[in-house]
Amino acid sequence: MTQCTGRASAASAALPGVPAESPPFAWRDPGELRDGELRLVLDYRSPCAPARGWTPAYHFGLRVDGDGADPAGTRVGGTRVGGVELRVGRDARHERVTGHVGYFVTPEARGRGYAARAVRLLLPLARAHGLDPLWILCEPRNRASRRTCERAGAALADVVRLPDGVGGARRFRLRYRLRVGAEEVPGR
C-alpha cells in the first residue's frame, strides 16, 4: 500500500536506500522552474490517496515563452508544449512500476529536448523532498522516451517485469536511475 507519511511499506523498506521512517509530507514551493525559453508552470497538485495507490504529485505544464499572463491574470501565457509530473513517494510502486517522473510532449513540439530539460528542472524540487534517486520507467520500444532519460542524465538500471494486471500486453519496462544529488536547496 502507498504511504504518505511515517513508515514505509514493508515491501519498500526492504529495498536498498528506502528508509523505514520518513518525515510527514509537506508541499514545497517549486519556485521558478525555467531553462531558457522553457518554463514549467504548476497546473495542480494531486493529494495522497492510499486506497488508490496514489502519493502526492506535482503536475506542471511545459510552456515555451510567449506573451506572459493576460492583463486580467486569467491565463498563463506561452505555448503549451507538454506536461511533466513529479510523484513524491518512496515505495516499491514508484521504484518498480510507475516511476517518480512522467512526461509528454505535444507532437508538434517533439524532437527539441523539452522533456529532458523539464526532468532536469524538477531536480531541486525532488531534492527538497529527499528523493534520490529518481526512477523513470519507459517502454523498451519508446526510443524518444529512452533518449529523454539519457539526455536528462539518467542511467539504465535494469528491465523490470510489471505486476500482473499492470501494463496489458506490454509487461516490461526499462528502469532508469537519475541521481538527484545532495546539494542544498536555497530557500526550501
Short mmCIF file of all heavy atoms in Angstrom, two decimals, residues 94-129:
data_model
loop_
_atom_site.label_atom_id
_atom_site.label_comp_id
_atom_site.label_asym_id
_atom_site.label_seq_id
_atom_site.Cartn_x
_atom_site.Cartn_y
_atom_site.Cartn_z
N HIS A 94 6.65 3.15 -6.85
CA HIS A 94 7.39 4.18 -7.57
C HIS A 94 8.69 3.65 -8.15
O HIS A 94 9.09 4.03 -9.24
CB HIS A 94 7.70 5.36 -6.64
CG HIS A 94 6.49 6.16 -6.31
ND1 HIS A 94 5.71 5.88 -5.22
CD2 HIS A 94 5.92 7.21 -6.93
CE1 HIS A 94 4.71 6.73 -5.19
NE2 HIS A 94 4.81 7.54 -6.21
N GLU A 95 9.32 2.80 -7.42
CA GLU A 95 10.63 2.33 -7.86
C GLU A 95 10.56 1.26 -8.93
O GLU A 95 11.51 1.10 -9.69
CB GLU A 95 11.41 1.85 -6.64
CG GLU A 95 11.66 3.01 -5.70
CD GLU A 95 12.71 2.71 -4.66
OE1 GLU A 95 13.43 1.71 -4.79
OE2 GLU A 95 12.81 3.51 -3.72
N ARG A 96 9.44 0.52 -9.03
CA ARG A 96 9.42 -0.61 -9.95
C ARG A 96 8.21 -0.65 -10.89
O ARG A 96 8.14 -1.52 -11.74
CB ARG A 96 9.51 -1.90 -9.17
CG ARG A 96 10.76 -1.93 -8.28
CD ARG A 96 11.15 -3.29 -7.85
NE ARG A 96 11.49 -4.20 -8.91
CZ ARG A 96 12.69 -4.31 -9.50
NH1 ARG A 96 13.65 -3.50 -9.16
NH2 ARG A 96 12.90 -5.21 -10.42
N VAL A 97 7.25 0.29 -10.73
CA VAL A 97 6.05 0.24 -11.57
C VAL A 97 5.79 1.58 -12.26
O VAL A 97 5.72 1.65 -13.48
CB VAL A 97 4.81 -0.20 -10.75
CG1 VAL A 97 3.57 -0.24 -11.63
CG2 VAL A 97 5.04 -1.56 -10.10
N THR A 98 5.61 2.65 -11.49
CA THR A 98 5.22 3.94 -12.08
C THR A 98 6.38 4.89 -12.32
O THR A 98 6.31 5.72 -13.21
CB THR A 98 4.21 4.68 -11.18
OG1 THR A 98 4.85 5.01 -9.94
CG2 THR A 98 2.97 3.84 -10.94
N GLY A 99 7.41 4.80 -11.50
CA GLY A 99 8.48 5.80 -11.53
C GLY A 99 8.05 7.05 -10.79
O GLY A 99 6.89 7.21 -10.41
N HIS A 100 9.01 7.94 -10.56
CA HIS A 100 8.74 9.21 -9.90
C HIS A 100 8.35 10.30 -10.89
O HIS A 100 7.78 11.31 -10.50
CB HIS A 100 9.98 9.70 -9.12
CG HIS A 100 10.32 8.88 -7.94
ND1 HIS A 100 11.39 8.01 -7.92
CD2 HIS A 100 9.73 8.78 -6.73
CE1 HIS A 100 11.44 7.42 -6.74
NE2 HIS A 100 10.44 7.87 -6.01
N VAL A 101 8.72 10.11 -12.15
CA VAL A 101 8.53 11.16 -13.15
C VAL A 101 7.77 10.61 -14.34
O VAL A 101 8.02 9.49 -14.79
CB VAL A 101 9.90 11.70 -13.62
CG1 VAL A 101 9.74 12.74 -14.71
CG2 VAL A 101 10.70 12.27 -12.46
N GLY A 102 6.84 11.40 -14.83
CA GLY A 102 6.14 11.10 -16.08
C GLY A 102 6.14 12.37 -16.92
O GLY A 102 6.15 13.47 -16.38
N TYR A 103 6.15 12.22 -18.23
CA TYR A 103 6.19 13.39 -19.10
C TYR A 103 5.55 13.08 -20.44
O TYR A 103 5.42 11.93 -20.83
CB TYR A 103 7.63 13.87 -19.33
CG TYR A 103 8.59 12.76 -19.64
CD1 TYR A 103 8.70 12.23 -20.92
CD2 TYR A 103 9.39 12.22 -18.64
CE1 TYR A 103 9.57 11.19 -21.20
CE2 TYR A 103 10.26 11.19 -18.91
CZ TYR A 103 10.34 10.68 -20.19
OH TYR A 103 11.20 9.64 -20.46
N PHE A 104 5.15 14.15 -21.13
CA PHE A 104 4.69 14.03 -22.51
C PHE A 104 4.99 15.34 -23.21
O PHE A 104 5.09 16.40 -22.58
CB PHE A 104 3.19 13.69 -22.59
CG PHE A 104 2.28 14.84 -22.26
CD1 PHE A 104 1.78 15.67 -23.26
CD2 PHE A 104 1.93 15.10 -20.94
CE1 PHE A 104 0.94 16.73 -22.95
CE2 PHE A 104 1.09 16.16 -20.63
CZ PHE A 104 0.60 16.99 -21.64
N VAL A 105 5.15 15.28 -24.50
CA VAL A 105 5.38 16.46 -25.33
C VAL A 105 4.40 16.37 -26.49
O VAL A 105 4.21 15.29 -27.08
CB VAL A 105 6.84 16.53 -25.83
CG1 VAL A 105 7.04 17.71 -26.78
CG2 VAL A 105 7.80 16.64 -24.65
N THR A 106 3.78 17.49 -26.83
CA THR A 106 2.84 17.51 -27.94
C THR A 106 3.56 17.16 -29.24
O THR A 106 4.75 17.45 -29.39
CB THR A 106 2.16 18.89 -28.07
OG1 THR A 106 3.16 19.88 -28.27
CG2 THR A 106 1.34 19.21 -26.83
N PRO A 107 2.87 16.52 -30.19
CA PRO A 107 3.53 16.08 -31.42
C PRO A 107 4.30 17.17 -32.16
O PRO A 107 5.42 16.95 -32.62
CB PRO A 107 2.38 15.54 -32.27
CG PRO A 107 1.36 15.10 -31.27
CD PRO A 107 1.47 16.09 -30.14
N GLU A 108 3.73 18.36 -32.24
CA GLU A 108 4.40 19.43 -32.99
C GLU A 108 5.65 19.97 -32.29
O GLU A 108 6.45 20.66 -32.92
CB GLU A 108 3.43 20.57 -33.30
CG GLU A 108 2.86 21.27 -32.09
CD GLU A 108 1.66 20.58 -31.44
OE1 GLU A 108 1.25 19.50 -31.90
OE2 GLU A 108 1.14 21.14 -30.46
N ALA A 109 5.85 19.66 -31.01
CA ALA A 109 7.00 20.17 -30.26
C ALA A 109 8.05 19.11 -29.98
O ALA A 109 9.06 19.38 -29.32
CB ALA A 109 6.51 20.78 -28.94
N ARG A 110 7.86 17.91 -30.49
CA ARG A 110 8.81 16.82 -30.21
C ARG A 110 10.14 17.05 -30.94
O ARG A 110 10.21 17.76 -31.93
CB ARG A 110 8.19 15.48 -30.63
CG ARG A 110 7.05 15.12 -29.72
CD ARG A 110 6.39 13.83 -30.07
NE ARG A 110 5.26 13.61 -29.17
CZ ARG A 110 4.25 12.83 -29.41
NH1 ARG A 110 4.20 12.14 -30.55
NH2 ARG A 110 3.28 12.70 -28.55
N GLY A 111 11.18 16.42 -30.39
CA GLY A 111 12.50 16.49 -31.01
C GLY A 111 13.30 17.73 -30.64
O GLY A 111 14.36 17.96 -31.21
N ARG A 112 12.84 18.49 -29.66
CA ARG A 112 13.55 19.71 -29.27
C ARG A 112 14.16 19.63 -27.88
O ARG A 112 14.68 20.62 -27.38
CB ARG A 112 12.58 20.89 -29.34
CG ARG A 112 12.07 21.12 -30.75
CD ARG A 112 11.15 22.30 -30.82
NE ARG A 112 10.62 22.39 -32.18
CZ ARG A 112 9.42 22.82 -32.47
NH1 ARG A 112 8.62 23.22 -31.52
NH2 ARG A 112 9.01 22.86 -33.72
N GLY A 113 14.07 18.47 -27.24
CA GLY A 113 14.67 18.29 -25.93
C GLY A 113 13.88 18.84 -24.76
O GLY A 113 14.40 18.91 -23.65
N TYR A 114 12.63 19.20 -24.99
CA TYR A 114 11.84 19.79 -23.90
C TYR A 114 11.64 18.85 -22.72
O TYR A 114 11.73 19.26 -21.57
CB TYR A 114 10.47 20.26 -24.40
CG TYR A 114 10.51 21.44 -25.35
CD1 TYR A 114 9.66 21.49 -26.45
CD2 TYR A 114 11.38 22.51 -25.15
CE1 TYR A 114 9.68 22.57 -27.32
CE2 TYR A 114 11.39 23.59 -26.02
CZ TYR A 114 10.55 23.62 -27.10
OH TYR A 114 10.55 24.68 -27.95
N ALA A 115 11.37 17.58 -22.98
CA ALA A 115 11.10 16.65 -21.88
C ALA A 115 12.33 16.46 -21.00
O ALA A 115 12.23 16.49 -19.77
CB ALA A 115 10.61 15.31 -22.42
N ALA A 116 13.50 16.29 -21.60
CA ALA A 116 14.73 16.11 -20.81
C ALA A 116 15.02 17.36 -19.98
O ALA A 116 15.40 17.27 -18.81
CB ALA A 116 15.90 15.78 -21.72
N ARG A 117 14.83 18.51 -20.57
CA ARG A 117 15.06 19.76 -19.84
C ARG A 117 14.06 19.89 -18.69
O ARG A 117 14.42 20.34 -17.59
CB ARG A 117 14.97 20.95 -20.79
CG ARG A 117 16.17 20.98 -21.74
CD ARG A 117 15.99 21.91 -22.91
NE ARG A 117 15.70 23.29 -22.54
CZ ARG A 117 15.24 24.19 -23.41
NH1 ARG A 117 15.00 23.85 -24.67
NH2 ARG A 117 15.01 25.42 -23.02
N ALA A 118 12.81 19.49 -18.92
CA ALA A 118 11.80 19.55 -17.86
C ALA A 118 12.16 18.63 -16.70
O ALA A 118 12.03 19.00 -15.53
CB ALA A 118 10.43 19.20 -18.43
N VAL A 119 12.63 17.44 -17.02
CA VAL A 119 13.04 16.50 -15.96
C VAL A 119 14.15 17.12 -15.13
O VAL A 119 14.13 17.06 -13.90
CB VAL A 119 13.45 15.14 -16.56
CG1 VAL A 119 14.11 14.26 -15.52
CG2 VAL A 119 12.25 14.43 -17.18
N ARG A 120 15.14 17.72 -15.78
CA ARG A 120 16.25 18.35 -15.04
C ARG A 120 15.75 19.50 -14.16
O ARG A 120 16.27 19.72 -13.07
CB ARG A 120 17.32 18.87 -16.01
CG ARG A 120 17.98 17.83 -16.87
CD ARG A 120 18.83 16.84 -16.16
NE ARG A 120 19.91 17.47 -15.42
CZ ARG A 120 20.68 16.82 -14.57
NH1 ARG A 120 20.52 15.53 -14.37
NH2 ARG A 120 21.63 17.43 -13.92
N LEU A 121 14.74 20.23 -14.65
CA LEU A 121 14.20 21.33 -13.85
C LEU A 121 13.51 20.85 -12.58
O LEU A 121 13.38 21.61 -11.62
CB LEU A 121 13.22 22.16 -14.69
CG LEU A 121 13.86 23.07 -15.75
CD1 LEU A 121 12.79 23.64 -16.67
CD2 LEU A 121 14.67 24.18 -15.09
N LEU A 122 13.08 19.60 -12.55
CA LEU A 122 12.42 19.04 -11.36
C LEU A 122 13.41 18.65 -10.26
O LEU A 122 12.99 18.40 -9.12
CB LEU A 122 11.61 17.79 -11.74
CG LEU A 122 10.39 18.00 -12.61
CD1 LEU A 122 9.76 16.66 -12.94
CD2 LEU A 122 9.38 18.92 -11.93
N LEU A 123 14.69 18.59 -10.56
CA LEU A 123 15.65 18.06 -9.59
C LEU A 123 15.69 18.83 -8.27
O LEU A 123 15.71 18.20 -7.21
CB LEU A 123 17.05 17.95 -10.21
CG LEU A 123 17.15 16.93 -11.35
CD1 LEU A 123 18.58 16.85 -11.86
CD2 LEU A 123 16.63 15.57 -10.94
N PRO A 124 15.70 20.17 -8.25
CA PRO A 124 15.68 20.84 -6.95
C PRO A 124 14.45 20.50 -6.12
O PRO A 124 14.54 20.35 -4.90
CB PRO A 124 15.72 22.33 -7.31
CG PRO A 124 16.34 22.37 -8.66
CD PRO A 124 15.86 21.12 -9.35
N LEU A 125 13.30 20.37 -6.75
CA LEU A 125 12.07 20.02 -6.02
C LEU A 125 12.17 18.58 -5.50
O LEU A 125 11.80 18.30 -4.35
CB LEU A 125 10.85 20.19 -6.93
CG LEU A 125 9.49 19.94 -6.31
CD1 LEU A 125 9.25 20.82 -5.08
CD2 LEU A 125 8.40 20.16 -7.35
N ALA A 126 12.68 17.68 -6.31
CA ALA A 126 12.88 16.30 -5.86
C ALA A 126 13.85 16.26 -4.68
O ALA A 126 13.63 15.55 -3.69
CB ALA A 126 13.39 15.44 -7.00
N ARG A 127 14.91 17.05 -4.77
CA ARG A 127 15.91 17.12 -3.69
C ARG A 127 15.26 17.63 -2.42
O ARG A 127 15.52 17.11 -1.33
CB ARG A 127 17.06 18.02 -4.15
CG ARG A 127 18.26 17.98 -3.25
CD ARG A 127 19.41 18.86 -3.78
NE ARG A 127 19.81 18.45 -5.11
CZ ARG A 127 19.70 19.22 -6.21
NH1 ARG A 127 19.21 20.44 -6.13
NH2 ARG A 127 20.10 18.77 -7.39
N ALA A 128 14.40 18.65 -2.54
CA ALA A 128 13.72 19.21 -1.36
C ALA A 128 12.85 18.17 -0.67
O ALA A 128 12.62 18.25 0.53
CB ALA A 128 12.89 20.43 -1.77
N HIS A 129 12.37 17.19 -1.43
CA HIS A 129 11.55 16.12 -0.86
C HIS A 129 12.38 14.90 -0.46
O HIS A 129 11.82 13.88 -0.05
CB HIS A 129 10.46 15.70 -1.85
CG HIS A 129 9.29 16.62 -1.87
ND1 HIS A 129 8.38 16.71 -0.84
CD2 HIS A 129 8.89 17.54 -2.79
CE1 HIS A 129 7.46 17.62 -1.13
NE2 HIS A 129 7.75 18.14 -2.30
#
